[in-house]
Amino acid sequence: MWMMAPFILNSLLNFVVSLLVAKFLGPAEYGRFVLALAVAVVVQTLLFDWLRLAATRFYSERDRRERPQIRATLDSAFAVLAALAALLAIVIWALGIDLTLTHDLAALAIGVAISNGLFDFASALVRARFQDRAYGALVISKNLLAFALTVGGALLFRSANVALVGMMISVAGSLVVGRAGLIDADAGFGAAERALVTRFLAYGLPIVLANFLYQTVPLTNRAVASQINGFAEVGRISLAFEIGIRIVGAVASALDVILFQIAVHAETTDGVGAAHNQISRNLGVVFAVALPAVAGCWLILPSFQELFVPENFRGPFAHYFTLMTPALLAFALINYGVNSAFQISHKLSPLVIAALVASIANSLCVIYLPPTPDASRFAVAQSISSCSGLAALLAMMFLLEPMWPRARDIFGASIATVAMLAAGAPMRAMTPGVLALFAQVTAGAAVYGAVAYAFDIGEMRSVFAPKIRARLKR
């Protein structure tokens, strides 16, 4: 369970780095920076994400000892793909190919895809073995280096290029720090097996295709918005979305790291039925965490913007964030909840279908929504797209994989969130600042916690009440 701590720390430090990079680069240069990152995410997803997924699903401490060919195959595949991607980056830079991004930014985007893909792959390897200390060393060292190099580069040079180079160096440094936990002595390239590559691809490809389609939505929106509204507006809408994803992801994904591994362990030790029961419980927990997290973000938005958002992003930040709150909730439920139901059952084509629905919905919105003087229609398109994908996925889960959370968890979390909003909404009229933020967070957490305890959401009362009684008796 301690693995959740470095995971949350990773998300929170990424959040801080994003705000500081935006502050030092300014809206226009930050717009170029996030567009390059969007390209990097799409390239990383296509080339490397199936290896991360395979490591999570097929690699363990036992496999490390008894089946070194698994790690050898994973490492060999990554090395080949990284070499091809690096060659492509060199060609783009050497030929000076300029599209929406300049050739140097495009080449750097591919470099960031390789480095971030390597970090996520390495993290998956140590998480699959439940190596908390090794995972913590990777996360902490990467973020400390990113703070120094990425933020430092943005501060000193005001350049998206330098900030991207800082990101790549920070990953390299973290892998040097955490190398002891990543070395498998018997997993040389010679032990790799082509049959395993086919198996890993068969498992990961549908998820990769789904993630790729989802990632093309923000990439498309940012690219089109850069042509219509300029890079400064791209920077403003992107900061709102990125910060929202960081906050929601910090909470929901920290649970997912543990919950999905528990489900995989249940399948291995007790069979498919036990894994399905665990996934059903997981869905209720994720919903009970994601819903109040997104609602709470909206609740504290005025004070959050005043205290943390760079001055030249304020105003548009709150506007875009509000428009994209449905997208944030859908993102959390899809990625950290519903997807796992299909992953554990090895029925992954629904993920691709839902992502395709989301991509089509976004394209239709971009084409047919009325033009706006800012990038509002792209924010609305993002929310409609994400909610469309979630609706499609839920419909298919109902028909194909009826692993539903307890009704009490869904109903209780909804009632608790409404109560939290009712308690905190009047405080939005307070002067934004530390006092208002503290009052909203305290009141919201207390109200939600009390109602959640009453409904026994996620069996919270069943787990904690005996421990509390035992402690009081001491």
Side-chain angles (χ1 to χ4, degrees):
M1 294 297 289
W2 284 105
M3 193 175 291
M4 291 174 65
F7 203 93
I8 293 173
L9 179 63
N10 178 48
S11 298
L12 292 178
L13 288 175
N14 281 334
F15 155 77
V16 173
V17 168
S18 295
L19 283 173
L20 290 176
V21 169
K23 175 182 176 65
F24 297 136
L25 290 183
E29 194 67 11
Y30 183 72
R32 296 182 179 89
F33 176 79
V34 292
L35 184 56
L37 283 185
V39 172
V41 168
V42 169
V43 174
Q44 178 186 340
T45 299
L46 273 178
L47 293 184
F48 305 117
D49 219 33
W50 63 283
L51 293 169
R52 176 187 63 82
L53 292 164
T56 302
R57 187 70 179 85
F58 299 108
Y59 181 70
S60 66
E61 185 63 42
R62 181 177 178 179
D63 292 319
R64 186 191 190 206
R65 295 192 305 268
E66 300 177 5
R67 302 186 66 197
Q69 65 268 32
I70 290 180
R71 175 65 188 277
T73 303
L74 292 170
D75 287 352
S76 300
F78 193 100
V80 170
L81 292 172
L84 292 174
L87 179 61
L88 176 62
I90 293 170
V91 169
I92 289 174
W93 177 79
L95 296 180
I97 300 173
D98 291 336
L99 298 172
T100 303
L101 289 175
T102 59
H103 62 280
D104 52 347
L105 269 177
L108 286 172
I110 296 174
V112 170
I114 297 170
S115 63
N116 285 355
L118 182 56
F119 179 81
D120 288 348
F121 174 59
S123 298
L125 290 172
V126 294
R127 288 206 313 267
R129 294 166 45 218
F130 292 94
Q131 296 293 312
D132 297 6
R133 183 171 296 180
Y135 180 64
L138 281 173
V139 168
I140 293 171
S141 58
K142 173 183 176 288
N143 282 285
L144 289 176
L145 288 168
F147 190 88
L149 299 174
T150 307
V151 176
L155 171 63
L156 295 176
F157 297 96
R158 313 286 172 168
S159 166
N161 295 37
V162 175
L164 291 169
V165 171
M167 291 183 69
M168 290 187 284
I169 297 175
S170 67
V171 169
S174 71
L175 294 176
V176 171
V177 171
R179 65 189 182 279
L182 295 170
I183 296 173
D184 285 12
D186 298 326
F189 287 168
E193 296 180 1
R194 289 185 179 180
L196 285 176
V197 173
T198 303
R199 183 185 180 191
F200 297 159
L201 270 174
Y203 171 73
L205 191 58
I207 305 174
V208 167
L209 288 175
N211 288 339
F212 167 74
L213 289 169
Y214 281 123
Q215 294 298 344
T216 59
V217 170
L219 174 59
T220 300
N221 290 350
R222 290 172 187 180
V224 176
S226 70
Q227 302 300 311
I228 297 173
N229 304 106
F231 279 109
E233 206 61 32
V234 171
R236 294 185 183 100
I237 189 175
S238 298
L239 183 65
F241 185 69
E242 292 298 324
I243 293 304
I245 291 295
R246 301 287 188 199
I247 296 173
V248 174
V251 180
S253 60
L255 287 172
D256 179 65
V257 168
I258 301 299
L259 294 178
F260 186 68
Q261 292 293 345
I262 292 174
V264 171
H265 180 72
E267 181 187 38
T268 303
T269 56
D270 301 316
V272 174
H276 285 192
N277 291 334
Q278 182 62 48
I279 290 293
S280 295
R281 289 192 292 270
N282 293 357
L283 289 170
V285 173
V286 171
F287 182 83
V289 169
L291 182 63
V294 173
C297 287
W298 175 83
L299 201 60
I300 65 172
L301 190 52
S303 293
F304 179 89
Q305 179 176 245
E306 181 67 26
L307 293 171
F308 300 109
V309 176
E311 188 173 355
N312 48 0
F313 288 83
R314 293 176 193 167
F317 178 90
H319 171 68
Y320 291 135
F321 192 102
T322 300
L323 291 177
M324 291 187 288
T325 48
L328 297 176
L329 179 60
F331 168 84
L333 295 178
I334 289 171
N335 287 282
Y336 308 122
V338 184
N339 277 2
S340 60
F342 294 100
Q343 286 177 250
I344 205 72
S345 299
H346 307 281
K347 295 179 181 178
L348 302 177
S349 57
L351 306 185
V352 180
I353 296 171
L356 187 60
V357 169
S359 182
I360 292 172
N362 182 76
S363 298
L364 292 174
C365 287
V366 170
I367 294 170
Y368 292 110
L369 283 176
T372 55
D374 56 8
S376 293
R377 69 168 167 150
F378 297 103
V380 174
Q382 181 79 56
S383 286
I384 293 175
S385 167
S386 299
C387 291
S388 298
L390 176 62
L393 206 55
L394 289 174
M396 287 183 286
M397 188 174 76
F398 177 76
L399 295 172
L400 302 174
E401 295 296 331
M403 286 182 267
W404 293 101
R406 294 191 313 168
R408 178 188 291 182
D409 289 343
I410 302 301
F411 182 73
S414 301
I415 294 297
T417 301
V418 170
M420 179 187 75
L421 290 173
M427 299 180 191
R428 292 186 104 229
M430 297 173 62
T431 302
V434 175
L435 181 61
L437 182 64
F438 177 78
Q440 288 171 323
V441 171
T442 303
V447 171
Y448 185 86
V451 179
Y453 188 84
F455 277 92
D456 195 21
I457 295 175
E459 301 180 346
M460 180 179 69
R461 187 174 66 230
S462 305
V463 172
F464 290 106
K467 295 181 180 180
I468 294 172
R469 285 196 294 268
R471 187 174 292 272
L472 291 175
K473 289 179 182 179
R474 291 180 182 177

